[in-house]
Amino acid sequence: MAKEATAAKPENAVKASGKKTNVKRLVLTAVLIGMATVLSLIKVYQLPLGGSITLLSMLPIALVSIEYGIGWGMVGAFTYSLIQFGFGIADGVFGWGLSPLALVACIALDYILAYTSLGLAGAFRKKGTPGIIAGVALAIVLRFVFHLLSGALVFDIWMPEEWSNPWLYSCVYNGSYMLPELIFTMIGAIVLFKTPQFAKLVSSNLED
């Protein structure tokens, strides 16, 4: 009996530790999603047909993936995409005059896929700072690709008359805010991960 009780203690300790880790993960993810949401409302520049330069709003979502891997990162990013879609509804996405098919494509490309792709930021997280920077860049470039597709396939009807190529127009339009977002986020990530205290925190919590 004594041996059985002794063996049960480590097992219970493992379970308790696992619960504590899960709670910590959920809390940190919720905090980072909340932070990203608030930062997304702080717009440095707003384009007339959608899209804006924000105050590093993508960085907290990237941190979820970097901290816990792309699996959990995708879950966090998908949750964030639903919040952004909620903002889209508030901005009148259903009143833009899009056909049902175009509306579905817009929701999928500009919200669900674009923001969920940020969950891939942790793809190279085990490669140190260079890997983290590369992962953040990859995630933002993928977000740009989805906006590019949406601009060329859905919003070509709003293309100015002086433009003849919807792909070029979409590239220039979406690049005008996504490129600064990429640059600012990369700078923010570099500064953050060069901070010894933060780098130590991430490395100590890095999960397999």
Side-chain angles (χ1 to χ4, degrees), residues 21-22 27 72 91 97 129 143:
T21 299
N22 289 335
V27 170
W72 189 255
D91 289 338
T129 300
R143 180 189 161 186

Side-chain angles (χ1 to χ4, degrees), residues 17-140:
S17 176
K19 279 187 178 180
K20 186 176 180 181
T21 299
N22 289 335
V23 170
K24 178 184 176 182
R25 180 189 303 191
L26 287 170
V27 170
L28 180 58
T29 301
V31 169
L32 289 172
I33 291 174
M35 186 183 300
T37 301
V38 172
L39 291 175
S40 73
L41 299 175
I42 304 175
K43 299 178 180 180
V44 179
Y45 178 71
Q46 173 77 51
L47 275 73
L49 299 178
S52 60
I53 301 172
T54 64
L55 189 61
L56 301 177
S57 62
M58 292 186 287
L59 187 54
I61 302 301
L63 292 178
V64 176
S65 181
I66 293 168
E67 182 77 2
Y68 297 116
I70 60 176
W72 189 255
M74 295 291 282
V75 172
F78 175 71
T79 303
Y80 181 63
S81 76
L82 297 180
I83 295 173
Q84 290 301 313
F85 176 52
F87 288 151
I89 294 175
D91 289 338
V93 64
F94 290 110
W96 290 352
L98 299 175
S99 68
L101 181 59
L103 181 60
V104 170
C106 171
I107 294 171
L109 293 171
D110 279 322
Y111 294 101
I112 306 303
L113 294 175
Y115 289 103
T116 301
S117 65
L118 298 177
L120 294 172
F124 313 114
R125 66 199 182 107
K126 294 183 179 180
K127 302 297 183 181
T129 300
I132 289 172
I133 300 305
V136 171
L138 171 65
I140 297 176

Side-chain angles (χ1 to χ4, degrees), residues 191-205:
V191 171
L192 197 59
F193 286 99
K194 286 296 183 181
T195 304
Q197 295 84 351
F198 189 84
K200 182 179 180 180
L201 175 65
V202 171
S203 62
S204 64
N205 291 322

Side-chain angles (χ1 to χ4, degrees), residues 156-204:
D156 58 324
I157 56 174
W158 292 353
M159 184 176 66
E161 293 182 358
E162 59 267 24
W163 291 82
S164 59
N165 188 321
W167 291 96
L168 179 59
Y169 172 70
S170 180
C171 183
V172 172
Y173 182 91
N174 289 293
S176 68
Y177 69 91
M178 285 304 302
L179 181 58
E181 281 269 277
L182 171 63
I183 294 173
F184 294 152
T185 305
M186 295 288 286
I187 293 174
I190 291 171
V191 171
L192 197 59
F193 286 99
K194 286 296 183 181
T195 304
Q197 295 84 351
F198 189 84
K200 182 179 180 180
L201 175 65
V202 171
S203 62
S204 64

